[in-house]
Amino acid sequence: MEPKLEKKYGLFTAIAMVIGIVVGSGVFFKAEKILTATGGNLKQGILAWVIGGVIMISCAYTFSVMATKYQYVNGIVDYAEAAMGKTYSYYVGWFMAMIYYPTITSVLAWVSARYTCVIFGFPITGGECMTIACLYLISSFTINALSPVLAGKFQVSTTIIKLIPLFLMAIVGTFTGVKSGMTVYNFTHYVSQTSSNGLFTAVVAACFAYEGWIIATCINAELENAKKNLPLALIVGTFITMSAYILYYIGLAGTIENEVMMAGGESGAKLAFQTVFTSAGGSLLFVFVIISCLGTLNGLMLGCTRGIYSLSARGLGPAPKIFVQVDPVTNMPVNSAILGLFLCGLWLFYFYGANLTSGWFGFFSFDSSELPIITIYALYIPIFIMFMVKSRELSFFNRIFMPCLSLAGSIFMVVAAWFAHGMAAIAYLGVFSVIMFLGVLTLKKTK
């Protein structure tokens, strides 16, 4: 018999994967952008975190209901197939494998390297940073390809580690800020007036910090008692994530003035930690931040290595007989993993040329850390609609109320992206259309 993916993950690992994939670079990487987008208006910044968190939790809840009904080899592709049919699910799977997974994974490799460079004083756009990013990318691939079980254990351990700086900053930063008056100062003084789309820009930035939970559904074929454990993991994991983010953001306000944080750029978070925990303690906790980023990278790579496999398991995609193979020893779809690493390399090259230089790609330069995430929310819309139409046996809350809330949140994300990115969104849609057209050709060839 041909090897298939085995049940090897439990509930705790699944919760750790949800938290571990989501919590990581985004809360540190995008906190400064949210602060800048809102002009230092902490109330508006917290509102952005709340809006993003509510959208994430509502979507996670709706998909958790779907998880009790459908189970195959890749959660989001399964749900798309059940709601919209095989053709739509193929395009969702193609997008996830070719754009979503590798873009987010490549950005996370750079963000992990970015904070490593902050520690050592290297420039965040130079050769040192990109070399470290490539090293992190290959290392994450290696641990996932050679030992998926070890990758799962690494995910659990890094999840515990990454919560340490968040909750320490949330508790100590808030206490220190209230005592010194810094928290009150930052909540009552704005650095600058924001534009009308400041909140939209902040919410789109927050969506990067919240994104990744859907990737945890890609292990439902490898999760013990998936119909029970996956919904629990999604709900518990996303709620803990939102709570940690908001508390961290409030704690951060008690450390240094918003003007200093905004001017500090990539060093802002390090400066905040050193202010509260002394130079040595702050540097040590900042190492935990790097480990946090690497844990997120590991979780994203977990989804990336299984991207094309989810199509091949259905007999679709390029050369399905090649990419459906599972190694009998490591129980890993190795060929799919290799292609996933290659795509990560391509998108890392694009991210550098489009965002870290003067713009190699001209008009077609866009932020690959945010726009692919907005696309996935757009793809959720017809899934939520058809789920409400078909799931007549469910209660009003599960069939109508929560899917409608998820639907409204997804539409809001799409509108917010337009206000936040403008013409860059058009450039992204051009690249997106070309890649999806290649998916159309591949589907026709397969059929």
Side-chain angles (χ1 to χ4, degrees):
M1 290 182 62
E2 184 177 329
K4 294 185 177 181
L5 298 178
E6 299 172 353
K7 305 285 186 180
K8 50 182 172 284
Y9 299 125
L11 174 62
F12 187 69
T13 300
I15 293 175
M17 283 182 175
V18 174
I19 300 174
I21 292 172
V22 178
V23 175
S25 66
V27 66
F28 309 110
F29 177 40
K30 294 297 184 180
E32 62 197 51
K33 181 173 181 179
I34 291 175
L35 202 59
T36 302
T38 58
N41 186 333
L42 285 174
K43 297 174 185 177
Q44 196 174 67
I46 291 174
L47 178 60
W49 286 114
V50 171
I51 292 173
V54 169
I55 293 173
M56 174 187 65
I57 292 175
S58 64
C59 290
Y61 182 88
T62 302
F63 280 118
S64 74
V65 176
M66 296 184 194
T68 64
K69 294 167 63 66
Y70 317 122
Q71 179 187 351
Y72 191 41
V73 297
N74 188 308
I76 180 59
V77 180
D78 298 341
Y79 310 146
E81 181 175 336
M84 298 292 296
K86 291 185 177 181
T87 301
Y88 187 78
S89 70
Y90 164 79
Y91 291 125
V92 171
W94 180 264
F95 164 76
M96 298 290 285
M98 297 296 166
I99 301 178
Y100 180 87
Y101 290 139
T103 55
I104 307 304
T105 306
S106 62
V107 170
L108 257 294
W110 172 75
V111 172
S112 302
R114 177 183 192 252
Y115 287 121
T116 304
C117 288
V118 170
I119 287 285
F120 292 104
F122 297 149
I124 64 170
T125 59
E128 300 94 338
C129 186
M130 298 312 297
T131 301
I132 296 172
C134 291
L135 174 63
Y136 284 158
L137 198 63
I138 295 172
S139 300
S140 180
F141 164 80
T142 301
I143 190 175
N144 274 276
L146 296 182
S147 180
V149 174
L150 180 61
K153 292 180 179 179
F154 178 74
Q155 193 67 31
V156 173
S157 60
T158 55
T159 297
I160 297 172
I161 291 173
K162 70 176 56 181
L163 290 176
I164 293 175
L166 283 177
F167 282 114
L168 277 178
M169 178 58 75
I171 296 171
V172 180
T174 301
F175 176 80
T176 303
V178 170
K179 185 178 179 181
S180 66
M182 184 63 71
T183 301
V184 174
Y185 174 84
N186 282 331
F187 266 92
T188 55
H189 290 76
Y190 305 153
V191 179
S192 62
Q193 292 294 324
T194 59
S195 60
S196 58
N197 64 344
L199 179 61
F200 288 129
T201 303
V203 172
V204 173
C207 82
F208 175 86
Y210 280 124
E211 192 54 31
W213 56 269
I214 192 63
I215 298 175
T217 64
C218 76
I219 63 161
N220 66 347
E222 303 163 77
L223 184 62
E224 298 170 357
N225 195 6
K227 289 190 175 182
K228 176 183 177 183
N229 288 337
L230 187 56
L232 282 174
L234 288 174
I235 299 303
V236 173
T238 52
F239 183 78
I240 291 175
T241 298
M242 186 182 77
S243 302
Y245 280 8
I246 295 174
L247 291 174
Y248 167 80
Y249 196 69
I250 294 173
L252 207 62
T255 59
I256 56 178
E257 296 177 356
N258 287 339
E259 300 97 304
V260 178
M261 177 68 71
M262 293 164 63
E266 68 275 1
S267 301
K270 181 184 177 184
L271 180 60
F273 278 104
Q274 289 180 336
T275 300
V276 177
F277 301 103
T278 73
S279 180
S283 297
L284 177 61
L285 284 174
F286 204 71
V287 172
F288 285 10
V289 171
I290 297 173
I291 295 174
S292 169
C293 295
L294 292 175
T296 305
L297 174 62
N298 176 73
L300 291 171
M301 182 61 75
L302 181 145
C304 196
T305 54
R306 290 158 174 78
I308 204 68
Y309 172 82
S310 66
L311 295 179
S312 300
R314 292 168 165 79
L316 300 173
K321 290 185 179 180
I322 294 177
F323 294 112
V324 78
Q325 294 179 4
V326 177
D327 188 278
V329 178
T330 62
N331 193 238
M332 182 71 184
V334 178
N335 293 337
S336 173
I338 293 172
L339 179 61
L341 178 64
F342 173 72
L343 293 171
C344 285
L346 286 180
W347 279 108
L348 181 61
F349 171 79
Y350 174 84
F351 179 77
Y352 178 80
N355 297 276
L356 303 181
T357 66
S358 57
W360 290 353
F361 306 103
F363 173 77
F364 292 99
S365 296
F366 56 84
D367 186 352
S368 56
S369 72
E370 294 182 1
L371 287 171
I373 295 174
I374 301 302
T375 308
I376 197 67
Y377 279 100
L379 294 175
Y380 291 161
I381 293 174
I383 297 176
F384 292 146
I385 293 173
M386 291 308 299
F387 177 71
M388 288 188 285
V389 172
K390 292 183 177 182
S391 303
R392 297 178 180 177
E393 75 281 4
L394 298 178
S395 65
F396 174 82
F397 185 80
N398 286 341
R399 180 193 173 193
I400 303 297
F401 182 79
M402 288 306 294
C404 280
L405 185 60
S406 304
L407 182 63
S410 298
I411 295 173
F412 178 85
M413 281 295 194
V414 174
V415 174
W418 175 256
F419 280 98
H421 290 273
M423 291 304 296
I426 302 297
Y428 164 73
L429 288 175
V431 176
F432 169 82
S433 299
V434 171
I435 295 175
M436 295 308 292
F437 179 70
L438 293 176
V440 173
L441 298 180
T442 303
L443 180 62
K444 289 183 178 179
K445 185 177 180 181
T446 304
K447 288 184 176 181

